Amino acid sequence: MTLLPIVALIAAALFTGAAGYISFVEHPARLQLEDGPLLAQWQPSYAKALPIQSGLAIIGGVCGLGAWYFSGQWLWIAGSVTLLANWPFTLIAIMPTNKRLQAMRPDQANPEVRTLLLSWGKLHNVRSLLGLGSTLLFAWCLCLTA
């Protein structure tokens, strides 16, 4: 067995952990802030999370495809597609909201910020679920080969 299955599972689990932390801890906590500080906290948080989560999705997805190539187990493709689905989902469903939030200045925040961030949180929950699904699929694949 190559290291690809292990790397795929670790990357998916790290993605899921980061996404879950944002969904269940960070975002609900930031929603307790007033509109200006709410936006001021979200903007740098998003900028720092973007390369980490996108990189983990790519690494996990590509390693999962490699694991499929070497094993022939179709569940690796399912896990990879589930993890990589975060990219088009983010670009199509979340990016318009991200761009609007990034274009706003915290000192000019208004109630629209809260509305957008409430919507953003619901959309981000989908990313957390995609990560969890891929992690479970990759773990299942590893159990089948053990």
Side-chain angles (χ1 to χ4, degrees):
M1 178 186 346
T2 68
L3 284 177
L4 292 173
I6 303 296
V7 174
L9 176 60
I10 290 171
L14 289 171
F15 177 94
T16 303
Y21 174 80
I22 292 167
S23 290
F24 295 112
V25 179
E26 182 178 304
H27 195 62
R30 89 172 121 233
L31 287 171
Q32 301 302 309
L33 300 170
E34 297 295 325
D35 295 340
L38 170 62
L39 181 60
Q41 194 283 332
W42 179 86
Q43 289 174 331
S45 175
Y46 169 77
K48 291 194 181 290
L50 176 66
I52 294 168
Q53 287 194 288
S54 60
L56 287 169
I58 291 171
I59 291 167
V62 169
C63 287
L65 292 174
W68 162 75
Y69 178 79
F70 288 110
S71 72
Q73 176 55 258
W74 69 271
L75 287 171
W76 287 109
I77 292 177
S80 293
V81 168
T82 303
L83 188 57
L84 291 170
N86 278 287
W87 273 84
F89 178 76
T90 299
L91 293 173
I92 295 166
I94 302 177
M95 194 56 70
T97 302
N98 289 351
K99 287 184 178 184
R100 287 179 66 192
L101 288 165
Q102 289 172 311
M104 296 177 170
R105 290 184 27 206
D107 63 338
Q108 296 178 335
N110 56 41
E112 181 187 15
V113 167
R114 184 164 306 277
T115 300
L116 287 170
L117 280 166
L118 285 167
S119 173
W120 181 90
K122 292 174 185 170
L123 292 168
H124 191 272
N125 290 342
V126 174
R127 291 173 45 86
S128 298
L129 290 173
L130 288 169
L132 179 60
S134 66
T135 301
L136 293 172
L137 285 165
F138 287 163
W140 187 15
C141 289
L142 278 172
C143 289
L144 291 174
T145 61

